[in-house]
């Protein structure tokens, strides 16, 4: 890669980190305004469970790109907040199945509109084609790493 391409790539990744930080900040502000004691990372777990409840920790870890130790910490905190529960897997006692509690399910009704608002703000003035190009770019970068480490 040329120096200019490397520099552009570095700037691109820095921009991506700024966007991720802005999104986390948006949600943190909503949590603070409504006295909700969770983190953005805990929200990632909840969002996955809102779509697919009753799965093992490894499936959640793979989906939200967290290592198992980090995920265990997040789930411990969600259990303390009574938003999820662990139950033993009837097929494999070593696995724990993570399910939403009633409170965890109800949290969706409160938080989902904020997620929609966050995406609407992020997408102001962005044509769908540009977003599609961005997705293609991320797919290409991911494939580069996958091919490199095969």
């Amino acid at each position: 890669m040329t120096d200019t391409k490397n520099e552009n790539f570095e700037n691109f990744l820095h921009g991506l980190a700024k966007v991720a930080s802005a999104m986390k900040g948006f949600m943190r502000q909503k949590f603070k305004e409504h006295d909700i004691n969770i983190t953005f990372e805990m929200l990632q777990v909840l969002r996955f469970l809102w779509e697919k409840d009753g799965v093992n920790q490894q499936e959640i870890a793979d989906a939200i790109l967290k290592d198992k130790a980090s995920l265990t910490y997040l789930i411990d905190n969600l259990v303390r907040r009574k938003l999820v529960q662990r139950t033993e897997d009837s097929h494999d006692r070593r696995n724990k199945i993570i399910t939403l509690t009633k409170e965890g399910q109800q949290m969706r009704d409160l938080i989902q509109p904020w997620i929609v608002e966050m995406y609407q703000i992020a997408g102001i003035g962005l044509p769908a084609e540009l977003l599609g190009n961005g997705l293609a770019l991320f797919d290409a970068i991911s494939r580069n790493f996958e091919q490199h480490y095969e």
Side-chain angles (χ1 to χ4, degrees):
M1 240 190 294
T2 66
D3 286 346
T4 303
K5 190 172 181 181
N6 281 342
E7 198 173 294
N8 284 343
F9 204 79
E10 185 176 337
N11 289 333
F12 170 77
L13 293 177
H14 180 73
L16 178 62
K18 283 175 57 175
V19 169
S21 180
M23 293 174 78
K24 287 179 182 181
F26 177 88
M27 291 308 296
R28 272 194 303 269
Q29 185 61 38
K30 292 291 186 183
F31 296 155
K32 185 177 177 182
E33 288 171 6
H34 294 84
D35 199 29
I36 296 174
N37 186 19
I38 64 170
T39 64
F40 189 84
E41 289 74 19
M42 288 180 212
L43 175 60
Q44 290 177 295
V45 175
L46 290 172
R47 285 194 67 206
F48 180 78
L49 292 171
W50 291 336
E51 298 301 317
K52 188 174 181 184
D53 197 11
V55 296
N56 67 42
Q57 288 188 213
Q58 190 60 55
E59 189 171 346
I60 298 169
D62 293 343
I64 67 169
L65 307 176
K66 298 281 184 198
D67 62 72
K68 202 165 182 182
S70 297
L71 183 67
T72 297
Y73 174 79
L74 292 172
I75 291 173
D76 286 346
N77 280 299
L78 289 167
V79 167
R80 276 195 287 281
R81 289 163 174 78
K82 297 181 177 21
L83 298 173
V84 303
Q85 60 189 4
R86 285 187 178 98
T87 55
E88 196 171 275
D89 185 339
S90 60
H91 303 303
D92 184 348
R93 290 182 16 210
R94 295 170 296 175
N95 281 333
K96 301 296 182 212
I97 301 298
I98 311 303
T99 55
L100 292 162
T101 62
K102 184 178 177 184
E103 294 86 353
Q105 292 167 345
Q106 291 171 338
M107 181 95 41
R108 180 183 189 165
D109 294 335
L110 180 63
I111 293 176
Q112 190 62 36
W114 304 337
I115 295 169
V116 170
E117 180 185 2
M118 178 180 66
Y119 290 154
Q120 287 172 336
I121 291 168
I124 292 172
L126 299 179
E129 182 182 6
L130 184 58
L131 292 173
N133 290 340
L135 288 172
L137 177 60
F138 287 129
D139 285 344
I141 293 169
S142 293
R143 277 193 310 277
N144 286 345
F145 279 107
E146 288 167 6
Q147 292 169 0
H148 184 78
Y149 289 109
E150 284 182 345

